[in-house]
Amino acid sequence: MGRAGEGLGLLLLLLVVSLPLFGQLCQGVGYEQPASCGRLECPAYQVVHTQKEFEIRRYEPATWVGTPAISSSSFKDATTTGFNILFSYIQGKNKEGARINMTAPVVVDIYSSTGNTTFKLYFYVPKKYELNPPQSDQVHPARLPVPPLNYAAVRRFGGFMDDNSIVKEASALKNSLKGTPWESRVVEKIGGLLDLPSYTVAGYNSPFEYDGRVNEILLWLKRDNK
């Protein structure tokens, strides 16, 4: 996969664009802010539509760092490997030796195909470093202008994520979009050039937090039916 493909999970950081459809919607209240975002820096977004089963967000520009692709049959194994890479990076294993404050959420792109699943993990870079993130051979910082994919349909759920719960929640999100204007805007490729994840998940809690866990599953949206 090329360099552009490596950063697809960084769709959270895409440039804000002016889209007629989204601009006509009123901003919703949406889900409550996760408790972790009260003590950790989290990426900014606007809720442009909300209903019981999901909300539609427009993410603001940001910088993230991502791991290389990790092939695994286990979400837990892949995310443990990826998190260790990211944690080492923020603990100073980078070319500047900089220690970076923890942020939330940790985002995981999941690419599913027959007989193979690939995972990529991403860490949101604090604003202090967003224009000049510390460099590393283990992770890949990027700020990708690939409009209009800064919009996402988001479903929230609790507990510890695993392979079964992720598939279940992804299916529930897709079902909740049926019959809405958003159903036809779920996108898997752009012009056949950029592979997008089957779905993206975001976890807001430390592995050592057992109560009040907040997880989200995201499907990326295009602006129209083209």
Side-chain angles (χ1 to χ4, degrees):
M1 183 176 294
R3 190 174 183 84
E6 292 180 354
L8 290 172
L10 305 181
L11 293 170
L12 292 175
L13 55 85
L14 302 173
L15 295 178
V16 176
V17 294
S18 176
L19 305 179
L21 169 65
F22 294 106
Q24 293 169 5
L25 296 172
C26 297
Q27 181 177 351
V29 175
Y31 297 120
E32 292 183 4
Q33 175 180 274
S36 57
C37 291
R39 59 182 185 272
L40 303 176
E41 192 173 335
C42 294
Y45 61 82
Q46 179 185 22
V47 177
V48 297
H49 175 81
T50 182
Q51 57 190 74
K52 182 179 178 180
E53 299 87 358
F54 66 88
E55 67 184 26
I56 305 298
R57 296 177 184 169
R58 184 186 68 192
Y59 281 93
E60 302 295 339
T63 299
W64 294 68
V65 291
T67 68
I70 301 168
S71 294
S72 177
S73 60
S74 165
F75 173 83
K76 181 178 179 180
D77 291 347
T79 53
T80 297
T81 298
F83 183 80
N84 287 338
I85 294 171
L86 294 175
F87 190 72
S88 293
Y89 171 79
I90 68 173
Q91 288 295 298
K93 193 175 180 180
N94 53 68
K95 294 182 179 179
E96 286 81 1
R99 295 177 67 89
I100 304 169
N101 289 336
M102 186 65 192
T103 62
V106 174
V107 169
V108 185
D109 275 354
I110 303 174
Y111 300 80
S112 297
S113 60
T114 303
N116 181 58
T117 303
T118 300
F119 303 84
K120 294 181 183 178
L121 277 72
Y122 298 92
F123 172 85
Y124 169 61
V125 176
K127 289 186 181 298
K128 175 182 177 179
Y129 293 103
E130 67 174 338
L131 297 181
N132 189 27
Q135 299 299 302
S136 169
D137 294 329
Q138 284 72 47
V139 302
H140 309 284
R143 189 177 177 89
L144 301 180
V146 189
L149 293 179
N150 52 336
Y151 284 84
V154 182
R155 175 183 174 86
R156 183 170 288 184
F157 60 103
F160 282 89
M161 288 188 283
D162 58 28
D163 297 281
N164 292 331
S165 66
I166 291 169
V167 171
K168 177 183 176 182
E169 296 297 336
S171 177
L173 177 56
K174 290 177 181 178
N175 286 336
S176 68
L177 294 173
K178 289 182 178 178
T180 73
W182 316 105
E183 180 183 11
S184 62
R185 291 172 168 80
V186 176
V187 63
E188 296 179 355
K189 291 181 181 292
I190 302 180
L193 298 177
L194 298 179
D195 290 329
L196 299 182
S198 303
Y199 27 79
T200 296
V201 295
Y204 287 83
N205 301 88
S206 157
F208 306 107
E209 293 179 297
Y210 291 87
D211 298 324
R213 297 187 65 81
V214 176
N215 310 308
E216 293 175 339
I217 191 151
L218 300 85
L219 294 174
W220 300 99
L221 306 176
K222 58 183 177 180
R223 63 181 175 185
D224 54 34
N225 293 322
K226 296 180 181 179

